[in-house]
Amino acid sequence: MENRKSFGTFILQRRKELGLTQKEFAQQLFVTDSAVSKWERGLAYPDITLLQDICRVLQCSEKELLSASEDAEGRRAEQLAQKYLRLTRNYRLGQYILYGAIAAGCLLGNLLGQHTVSWFWIVLAAEAMLASLTLLPAFVPEGRRGAASLGGFTAALLLLLLVCCLYTGGDWFFMAAVSLLFGMGLVFLPFVLHALPLPPELACRKASVYVGTELLLLIALYGVSCLYTGGRWFLSATLWTIFGLGIVLLPPLLRQLPLPRGWHRHKALVFLSFESLLLVAGLAWEGRQGDFPFPMLPIALLCLTLPWGWLGTFRYLPLRRWLRTGAALLWTGLWVWLAPFFLDRVMLLCGWITNNPYDLHLPVHLTDWTDATTISANVMFLIILGFLLAGAVCLVIGFRRRPPAQGQE
């Protein structure tokens, strides 16, 4: 009973606040005066199908009607929402008027001053760039305004560069455009990839998408720069850039790339093979005038034997960890001892002669540290001895930790 009385009291108060009589209120709801009287006296509830019409006539929410009390917080939130919408509309209208007035004034000034439309297009492109930061976000849903503003700003800036290039009669637009895209992508592409709804196969490989996109833009920049300057260094710069970036970035990227089945345990082999091919290709291109294959190829192959030996011992030698480590250290000591000898022979074949050729029998005198040749031999001997001793220690530990044969305790 108390609920019906409070419900009727609320209807009565709202009706009187709006200056409606029972008859007027009833006419708007298409009910009788007696029905309204019963509601207000707490003798009956209105039919549930009339709730929306009652809220419309009494200018209240369904929550207020059912709770028989004013929802001050809800009204405040609704008022703030309405105020925000009005401010947004006024803001957009102000932007339209401002940009329109500037464009109209510049167009009129251009026509009156030069009797043609020339620099007005620069002003229009500049306005589009500003509008991408001030006006475009108002039309984009929450969560995507940053990416939309960045995309609009980049497109408008490219348009501005194109208009300026055409206005000045230059030919630098493509180089400026690729440079801009490369620089903007280098800084902002990670944030854009985070905001964009990428397909599932790309969403888990954002780092690969970022590196691949920037690498393509950098190669495009090389190509445009070569065409602009008339240079012939495009292929050389591309090969050495991919080689250098591959050394740093290829190992983590291989974790994301969809390699064929069975190749996941051979990532180190893929990495070293890729870098070795790039090194040989780069040297072949640089030495195409006569320095390749001698001495570039033998020296490159000599240097590559060290990491390839590490790969073979650490990854594919069927031994325990300590034994593989010992084998790798022994291989390193052997390479340090033999590599200078083979390097001298390669240089001799190319006509290079030295006063102090490298001898496998090092002139070691650990008590003599005055002569430069002797000092070099002593240091080389100590380095080789250090690797060999470390390898021997690892081998001993590996054999001592070897598990007992099956059937032995």
Side-chain angles (χ1 to χ4, degrees), residues 394-409:
C394 291
L395 290 177
V396 171
I397 295 175
F399 281 114
R400 289 179 64 88
R401 292 191 174 186
R402 185 173 57 182
Q406 188 175 5
Q408 296 181 356
E409 296 184 358

PDB file of all heavy atoms in Angstrom, residues 394-409:
ATOM      1  N   CYS A 394      86.402 -28.068 -19.908  1.00  0.00           N
ATOM      2  CA  CYS A 394      84.999 -28.395 -20.189  1.00  0.00           C
ATOM      3  C   CYS A 394      84.844 -29.853 -20.608  1.00  0.00           C
ATOM      4  O   CYS A 394      83.864 -30.527 -20.228  1.00  0.00           O
ATOM      5  CB  CYS A 394      84.453 -27.475 -21.275  1.00  0.00           C
ATOM      6  SG  CYS A 394      84.264 -25.752 -20.760  1.00  0.00           S
ATOM      7  N   LEU A 395      85.798 -30.383 -21.389  1.00  0.00           N
ATOM      8  CA  LEU A 395      85.716 -31.780 -21.796  1.00  0.00           C
ATOM      9  C   LEU A 395      85.850 -32.712 -20.601  1.00  0.00           C
ATOM     10  O   LEU A 395      85.132 -33.718 -20.489  1.00  0.00           O
ATOM     11  CB  LEU A 395      86.797 -32.080 -22.830  1.00  0.00           C
ATOM     12  CG  LEU A 395      86.621 -31.447 -24.221  1.00  0.00           C
ATOM     13  CD1 LEU A 395      87.801 -31.779 -25.119  1.00  0.00           C
ATOM     14  CD2 LEU A 395      85.322 -31.914 -24.868  1.00  0.00           C
ATOM     15  N   VAL A 396      86.777 -32.391 -19.701  1.00  0.00           N
ATOM     16  CA  VAL A 396      86.954 -33.214 -18.508  1.00  0.00           C
ATOM     17  C   VAL A 396      85.680 -33.214 -17.665  1.00  0.00           C
ATOM     18  O   VAL A 396      85.211 -34.270 -17.199  1.00  0.00           O
ATOM     19  CB  VAL A 396      88.161 -32.716 -17.684  1.00  0.00           C
ATOM     20  CG1 VAL A 396      88.224 -33.429 -16.337  1.00  0.00           C
ATOM     21  CG2 VAL A 396      89.449 -32.956 -18.454  1.00  0.00           C
ATOM     22  N   ILE A 397      85.091 -32.023 -17.467  1.00  0.00           N
ATOM     23  CA  ILE A 397      83.849 -31.949 -16.684  1.00  0.00           C
ATOM     24  C   ILE A 397      82.741 -32.726 -17.381  1.00  0.00           C
ATOM     25  O   ILE A 397      81.946 -33.437 -16.737  1.00  0.00           O
ATOM     26  CB  ILE A 397      83.430 -30.471 -16.499  1.00  0.00           C
ATOM     27  CG1 ILE A 397      84.464 -29.726 -15.660  1.00  0.00           C
ATOM     28  CG2 ILE A 397      82.054 -30.374 -15.836  1.00  0.00           C
ATOM     29  CD1 ILE A 397      84.192 -28.247 -15.534  1.00  0.00           C
ATOM     30  N   GLY A 398      82.664 -32.615 -18.704  1.00  0.00           N
ATOM     31  CA  GLY A 398      81.630 -33.334 -19.436  1.00  0.00           C
ATOM     32  C   GLY A 398      81.766 -34.838 -19.316  1.00  0.00           C
ATOM     33  O   GLY A 398      80.772 -35.559 -19.138  1.00  0.00           O
ATOM     34  N   PHE A 399      83.018 -35.355 -19.399  1.00  0.00           N
ATOM     35  CA  PHE A 399      83.210 -36.796 -19.269  1.00  0.00           C
ATOM     36  C   PHE A 399      82.948 -37.266 -17.845  1.00  0.00           C
ATOM     37  O   PHE A 399      82.431 -38.367 -17.634  1.00  0.00           O
ATOM     38  CB  PHE A 399      84.628 -37.180 -19.701  1.00  0.00           C
ATOM     39  CG  PHE A 399      84.795 -37.249 -21.199  1.00  0.00           C
ATOM     40  CD1 PHE A 399      85.615 -36.348 -21.866  1.00  0.00           C
ATOM     41  CD2 PHE A 399      84.113 -38.201 -21.948  1.00  0.00           C
ATOM     42  CE1 PHE A 399      85.767 -36.401 -23.235  1.00  0.00           C
ATOM     43  CE2 PHE A 399      84.266 -38.267 -23.320  1.00  0.00           C
ATOM     44  CZ  PHE A 399      85.082 -37.356 -23.964  1.00  0.00           C
ATOM     45  N   ARG A 400      83.302 -36.437 -16.858  1.00  0.00           N
ATOM     46  CA  ARG A 400      83.076 -36.838 -15.461  1.00  0.00           C
ATOM     47  C   ARG A 400      81.582 -36.836 -15.121  1.00  0.00           C
ATOM     48  O   ARG A 400      81.137 -37.604 -14.261  1.00  0.00           O
ATOM     49  CB  ARG A 400      83.826 -35.905 -14.521  1.00  0.00           C
ATOM     50  CG  ARG A 400      85.338 -36.096 -14.554  1.00  0.00           C
ATOM     51  CD  ARG A 400      86.022 -35.112 -13.618  1.00  0.00           C
ATOM     52  NE  ARG A 400      85.635 -35.365 -12.245  1.00  0.00           N
ATOM     53  CZ  ARG A 400      86.246 -36.226 -11.417  1.00  0.00           C
ATOM     54  NH1 ARG A 400      87.279 -36.947 -11.860  1.00  0.00           N
ATOM     55  NH2 ARG A 400      85.847 -36.396 -10.176  1.00  0.00           N
ATOM     56  N   ARG A 401      80.802 -35.957 -15.786  1.00  0.00           N
ATOM     57  CA  ARG A 401      79.376 -35.893 -15.525  1.00  0.00           C
ATOM     58  C   ARG A 401      78.559 -36.779 -16.457  1.00  0.00           C
ATOM     59  O   ARG A 401      77.332 -36.724 -16.442  1.00  0.00           O
ATOM     60  CB  ARG A 401      78.871 -34.446 -15.661  1.00  0.00           C
ATOM     61  CG  ARG A 401      79.392 -33.529 -14.581  1.00  0.00           C
ATOM     62  CD  ARG A 401      78.664 -32.213 -14.619  1.00  0.00           C
ATOM     63  NE  ARG A 401      79.055 -31.360 -13.502  1.00  0.00           N
ATOM     64  CZ  ARG A 401      78.491 -30.181 -13.201  1.00  0.00           C
ATOM     65  NH1 ARG A 401      77.479 -29.756 -13.949  1.00  0.00           N
ATOM     66  NH2 ARG A 401      78.910 -29.469 -12.194  1.00  0.00           N
ATOM     67  N   ARG A 402      79.211 -37.597 -17.246  1.00  0.00           N
ATOM     68  CA  ARG A 402      78.506 -38.460 -18.175  1.00  0.00           C
ATOM     69  C   ARG A 402      77.696 -39.475 -17.394  1.00  0.00           C
ATOM     70  O   ARG A 402      78.218 -40.125 -16.469  1.00  0.00           O
ATOM     71  CB  ARG A 402      79.496 -39.152 -19.099  1.00  0.00           C
ATOM     72  CG  ARG A 402      78.836 -39.990 -20.177  1.00  0.00           C
ATOM     73  CD  ARG A 402      79.866 -40.490 -21.154  1.00  0.00           C
ATOM     74  NE  ARG A 402      80.913 -41.264 -20.483  1.00  0.00           N
ATOM     75  CZ  ARG A 402      81.970 -41.789 -21.103  1.00  0.00           C
ATOM     76  NH1 ARG A 402      82.126 -41.596 -22.397  1.00  0.00           N
ATOM     77  NH2 ARG A 402      82.863 -42.481 -20.443  1.00  0.00           N
ATOM     78  N   PRO A 403      76.423 -39.684 -17.726  1.00  0.00           N
ATOM     79  CA  PRO A 403      75.608 -40.633 -16.978  1.00  0.00           C
ATOM     80  C   PRO A 403      76.121 -42.051 -17.156  1.00  0.00           C
ATOM     81  O   PRO A 403      76.692 -42.407 -18.187  1.00  0.00           O
ATOM     82  CB  PRO A 403      74.209 -40.473 -17.600  1.00  0.00           C
ATOM     83  CG  PRO A 403      74.480 -39.939 -18.976  1.00  0.00           C
ATOM     84  CD  PRO A 403      75.684 -39.072 -18.842  1.00  0.00           C
ATOM     85  N   PRO A 404      75.953 -42.918 -16.146  1.00  0.00           N
ATOM     86  CA  PRO A 404      76.432 -44.297 -16.252  1.00  0.00           C
ATOM     87  C   PRO A 404      75.692 -45.065 -17.327  1.00  0.00           C
ATOM     88  O   PRO A 404      74.541 -44.766 -17.665  1.00  0.00           O
ATOM     89  CB  PRO A 404      76.147 -44.869 -14.856  1.00  0.00           C
ATOM     90  CG  PRO A 404      75.041 -44.021 -14.321  1.00  0.00           C
ATOM     91  CD  PRO A 404      75.289 -42.657 -14.874  1.00  0.00           C
ATOM     92  N   ALA A 405      76.380 -46.014 -17.932  1.00  0.00           N
ATOM     93  CA  ALA A 405      75.764 -46.834 -18.979  1.00  0.00           C
ATOM     94  C   ALA A 405      74.609 -47.634 -18.414  1.00  0.00           C
ATOM     95  O   ALA A 405      74.544 -47.908 -17.220  1.00  0.00           O
ATOM     96  CB  ALA A 405      76.814 -47.742 -19.622  1.00  0.00           C
ATOM     97  N   GLN A 406      73.685 -48.032 -19.289  1.00  0.00           N
ATOM     98  CA  GLN A 406      72.506 -48.766 -18.859  1.00  0.00           C
ATOM     99  C   GLN A 406      72.931 -50.116 -18.251  1.00  0.00           C
ATOM    100  O   GLN A 406      73.728 -50.855 -18.797  1.00  0.00           O
ATOM    101  CB  GLN A 406      71.584 -48.995 -20.053  1.00  0.00           C
ATOM    102  CG  GLN A 406      70.228 -49.592 -19.663  1.00  0.00           C
ATOM    103  CD  GLN A 406      69.312 -49.675 -20.856  1.00  0.00           C
ATOM    104  OE1 GLN A 406      69.721 -49.384 -21.966  1.00  0.00           O
ATOM    105  NE2 GLN A 406      68.087 -50.096 -20.602  1.00  0.00           N
ATOM    106  N   GLY A 407      72.426 -50.403 -17.082  1.00  0.00           N
ATOM    107  CA  GLY A 407      72.767 -51.643 -16.380  1.00  0.00           C
ATOM    108  C   GLY A 407      73.841 -51.455 -15.346  1.00  0.00           C
ATOM    109  O   GLY A 407      74.121 -52.356 -14.557  1.00  0.00           O
ATOM    110  N   GLN A 408      74.527 -50.239 -15.329  1.00  0.00           N
ATOM    111  CA  GLN A 408      75.537 -49.954 -14.318  1.00  0.00           C
ATOM    112  C   GLN A 408      74.932 -49.092 -13.254  1.00  0.00           C
ATOM    113  O   GLN A 408      74.031 -48.301 -13.484  1.00  0.00           O
ATOM    114  CB  GLN A 408      76.738 -49.245 -14.947  1.00  0.00           C
ATOM    115  CG  GLN A 408      77.467 -50.100 -15.962  1.00  0.00           C
ATOM    116  CD  GLN A 408      78.680 -49.378 -16.548  1.00  0.00           C
ATOM    117  OE1 GLN A 408      78.915 -48.221 -16.238  1.00  0.00           O
ATOM    118  NE2 GLN A 408      79.434 -50.064 -17.376  1.00  0.00           N
ATOM    119  N   GLU A 409      75.431 -49.208 -12.019  1.00  0.00           N
ATOM    120  CA  GLU A 409      74.972 -48.378 -10.913  1.00  0.00           C
ATOM    121  C   GLU A 409      76.003 -47.297 -10.662  1.00  0.00           C
ATOM    122  O   GLU A 409      77.172 -47.509 -10.819  1.00  0.00           O
ATOM    123  CB  GLU A 409      74.779 -49.234  -9.658  1.00  0.00           C
ATOM    124  CG  GLU A 409      73.674 -50.272  -9.836  1.00  0.00           C
ATOM    125  CD  GLU A 409      73.434 -51.032  -8.552  1.00  0.00           C
ATOM    126  OE1 GLU A 409      74.153 -50.772  -7.574  1.00  0.00           O
ATOM    127  OE2 GLU A 409      72.536 -51.895  -8.548  1.00  0.00           O
TER     128      GLU A 409
END
